[in-house]
Amino acid sequence: PLFIILATCVQLPIITVLVWLNVSCNSVEQKIYVELNNTVPCVRLLNATHQIGCQSSISGDTGVIHVLESEADLEWPLSKGPNPPYMVLLESSLFTRSIMMKMKNESNRVAGVAVVVPNTSPPEFSPHTTCPNENTGVYSDNYGPNLAHCNTTVWNPRGNGLSYEEFDFPVFSLKEDNETEFIKQCYLDHNRAVNGSAPQYPLCAMQLFSHMHAVTNTPTCMRRNDINFSINPEMVCDPLGDYNVWGSIRPYNDTVFGHKENESVVIAAARLDSRAFFWEVSTGAEGSVSGFVTLLAAAQALREVTHAAPPTRNILFAFFQGETFDYIGSSRMVYDMENGKFVIDLDNIHSVLEIGQVAVHSGTNLFLHSDPVSRRNNTVNDENLVNNLQSSTAGLGFLLVEPNVSQPLPPSSLQRFLRAQPIPGIVLADHESAFNNRYYESFYDNAANLNLTYPSDLSPEEQLEFVTDTAKSLTDVATVVARALYKQAGGDESLSDTLASIKKVLGYLGLHCFVFFCLLEPSPPEYYVGVAMSSTPTRLVQYLLANLTGAATNLTQSQCMYSYLWVQGIVPPNSTERDSFCVRASVRLTKAVSPAFELGEYASKDYSTWTESRWKFIKARIFLVASRDLEMLTLGVGVAVLFTSLLVTYFISTKADVLFSSTREPASAAY
């Protein structure tokens, strides 16, 4: 007890006692717990109607570790095991909907789940839904009802929907490293049942902290954000959002908004974001990176020819954030165009070419997806764009074909433009119907999914310069996109065939940068849109687009402002440092936050309403837990010592005048 420790330290200065207590407590905690550093949680997200994700109790959830070896082994933590609740440790091959839903239904015996993510990928895994963004696209009961909700084409048949389930216990991912091996060894030493008998105490336990502040849905959490009872009110959730990146071959005055007379614009679009079941481990190699690096390379290929022979129409490159969560970025740009808050409006748009997933080929063809409803109603004419694309493949070894059957557009930003106004548009993708991507919106959509491999004898510096087969393939796709955009914008067709993307752009500045690491970034960028505005991918794409399409100037870094960006170039010969210079480019950032939050319509059915819950801290640790009997005995002894100490202290204080009295000297006689 604290008072006993203080009583023994009455001769010491109070500051010394407190410092000693702090050091003592820390050392005791370190001896009890082993902190786990390489963990990533599943967090809570909310929308207009419900909440998804995972969370722990406010004090963290604790359970005895059980290593799941097969689905049949679930019997031990769910019913047979004598020491519930259990913290289930499972390999990624067992991270399936069937197993997770069984544990969810018996959550009173499951304290949490830890998933070991291996260095190799399973045959397939997608925690997303089978029909991404099905309620916020163009197809509805009023527009192509037979095509709505993936009635004719299931785009992601591998999707198990785990990312959209709610779990009342924490779920963390662990890397396949020494920490995980230590946990497994702790389980083998203390928890493993022998011949069906219960293991003996002490048992190895795990504690996970991931308590989420927001509950119920977005309207509820946003209303609580507005309740201010203190000087520093505590927010419970934040809208998902970032910035869209856009630029054009002819600059616009970014202070003059609305319709531009006699202006026609071809939009070339791609999305920047991805997601995974676990927070901030979204690699999105095929899902997003393959599309936007192809568009970056196409923009670079167009720079010289559009300066030398400008096309009659402008070309606007748009990179949308938050598309995974009900088209946040594209819906915001369309909203701004409709309300005179963008440099052009919808009537200025001539056509749209969107680059989707283009890196995983099932054959030699790529596919041109269009909207069958608008084509059937003759409200738009996509034929010119289709012809320009198909005629741009000369000498490249593959064809662009339209799907054989009438089917809707795949999940794409183009749907949000069509929802506002009929506009000719094509989505370029590597799949005819269902996605070729076996790891759509999962942490396995990484470099291995794109077959990005390097010869073993290359140094890290040499890998930066090495052009992989995937980069070569995407270079051809970028070349087609550049040629088609130039033709679609009214450029000289005799010059379009001379356009070619540079392989090194897609080698280093493209795939290696965004899949492995880029420039000074120590790890791959994270493509979850999040709530922190201007994320790493956004800034990288902004500066790369400026570098690839802008013009270098002689301005210094202090003078490089407004529409100018200070960028890094290549490493000159006989040097170890990159050249840096100021680039003048028409590249801008605009908000990619759902209009629902601008309008205060938190229950909107027209716009994305996704928010992310806030939390205090995320932590995981393991320790040995004693038996209940031993804990009760320890508690009893502690209580007995407490009361004994109180009695002794009371007795000493009542008899203090006797126990601590000293013999008095006789008083001096007074004369």
Side-chain angles (χ1 to χ4, degrees), residues 384-403:
N384 190 43
L385 181 54
V386 170
N387 292 336
N388 285 333
L389 283 161
Q390 290 179 332
S391 64
S392 299
T393 60
L396 296 177
F398 65 91
L399 300 176
L400 301 180
V401 298
E402 296 182 88

Side-chain angles (χ1 to χ4, degrees), residues 185-232:
Q185 190 59 48
C186 186
Y187 163 79
L188 294 174
D189 293 341
H190 298 278
N191 297 9
R192 190 180 181 91
V194 180
N195 298 325
S197 61
Q200 300 298 310
Y201 285 96
L203 298 176
C204 190
M206 181 182 291
Q207 190 173 30
L208 301 178
F209 296 86
S210 61
H211 180 67
M212 301 287 131
H213 294 175
V215 295
T216 310
N217 52 37
T218 289
T220 301
C221 80
M222 294 299 291
R223 184 175 66 250
R224 291 179 178 176
N225 283 348
D226 295 333
I227 299 175
N228 298 324
F229 289 124
S230 64
I231 298 176
N232 297 313

Side-chain angles (χ1 to χ4, degrees), residues 142-165:
N142 300 320
Y143 188 94
N146 60 312
L147 304 176
H149 309 293
C150 295
N151 287 333
T152 59
T153 304
V154 178
W155 296 107
N156 186 35
R158 302 174 182 88
N160 59 33
L162 277 179
S163 289
Y164 289 84
E165 290 290 340

